[in-house]
Amino acid sequence: DYASKNNISKFSIALSGGMVSSLVLTLLKIIKDRSLFPMELEAIFMPGFFSSSLSYDLAYDLCRLLGVKLTTMPIKFIHSTIRTAYRDSFHSEMLGLADENIQSRLRGALIYARSNAIGSIVLNTSNKSEIAVGYSTIYGDSVGALSVLGDLYKSEVFALAQYINKLTNGLIPRDIISRAPSAELRENQEDSQ
């Protein structure tokens, strides 16, 4: 409804290989397949220094199953340049939360650059649990014109994914649902921490 009222038919999703972004993309694909509303879906995987090869494999598998093109745009080189510029300007290293959040903000800036270039709408890939506890980066993973899962708690996100898999005979790869959630912004990070 939002997209049709605003004459938008292109959607860009930052796909991490994690549960929430995978569910957002899957829901859009289901909507596209079951409606007369013309949609173009684009998934963008933006690996950083701490992104695992499993994340890429899962993002790739999901896009293959959904028939959605996956574009990879690494952020680690830009991240390295920003670390150097920070060190040169402030004469100290960018560490901890500052270094973690800059990765998320780079992804937000890049997906919006793509959105502006092709006239797409960026879909937010967060949920109510992350927002409620502050586990979200302003101008980073919180970007997006529409928060598709914004009214769902993380437990409901997993329940919805399992329900969709039951109806579709496993459209979402099982490892996406079963793996421990992680933003992969530092070594061995898990959301539960």
Side-chain angles (χ1 to χ4, degrees):
D1 185 54
Y2 176 88
S4 63
K5 285 178 180 174
N6 290 284
N7 199 28
I8 297 166
S9 61
K10 296 178 183 177
F11 297 85
S12 297
I13 297 120
L15 186 64
S16 68
M19 182 68 266
V20 182
S21 63
S22 296
L23 183 57
V24 169
L25 181 61
T26 302
L27 287 172
L28 263 287
K29 176 63 173 167
I30 290 170
I31 290 168
K32 177 183 177 182
D33 289 349
R34 296 186 179 177
S35 73
L36 298 176
F37 185 69
M39 295 173 140
E40 293 178 45
L41 304 178
E42 175 179 61
I44 304 170
F45 180 70
M46 295 177 273
F49 288 112
F50 306 105
S51 299
S52 67
S53 59
L54 176 61
S55 292
Y56 172 78
D57 292 342
L58 293 173
Y60 176 83
D61 287 346
L62 178 66
C63 286
R64 182 181 49 78
L65 289 168
L66 297 178
V68 173
K69 182 182 179 210
L70 178 66
T71 300
T72 300
M73 183 168 52
I75 64 159
K76 55 186 165 185
F77 308 110
I78 303 168
H79 182 198
S80 180
T81 300
I82 289 175
R83 281 176 162 174
T84 300
Y86 185 95
R87 184 180 58 244
D88 292 349
S89 297
F90 296 107
H91 309 292
S92 64
E93 298 295 327
M94 185 172 59
L95 303 170
L97 191 59
D99 190 57
E100 291 175 29
N101 281 337
I102 200 66
Q103 296 168 72
S104 183
R105 290 186 177 118
L106 281 170
R107 291 181 175 113
L110 291 171
I111 197 160
Y112 261 108
R114 179 63 176 166
S115 167
N116 292 154
I118 66 169
S120 67
I121 185 172
V122 174
L123 295 177
N124 178 297
T125 57
S126 193
N127 61 76
K128 199 172 191 174
S129 295
E130 292 168 356
I131 294 165
V133 300
Y135 192 62
S136 179
T137 302
I138 297 173
Y139 316 119
D141 54 352
S142 64
V143 305
L146 190 63
S147 183
V148 178
L149 303 176
D151 288 331
L152 297 182
Y153 291 107
K154 191 81 172 232
S155 58
E156 294 171 316
V157 168
F158 280 93
L160 180 56
Q162 290 167 342
Y163 177 73
I164 287 171
N165 267 5
K166 186 189 248 182
L167 292 179
T168 62
N169 199 23
L171 192 56
I172 302 171
R174 188 81 209 130
D175 287 345
I176 289 175
I177 297 172
S178 64
R179 75 187 293 213
S182 172
E184 296 185 323
L185 299 175
R186 67 176 183 268
E187 198 68 45
N188 300 316
Q189 179 186 23
E190 290 185 4
D191 289 0
S192 58
Q193 297 166 346

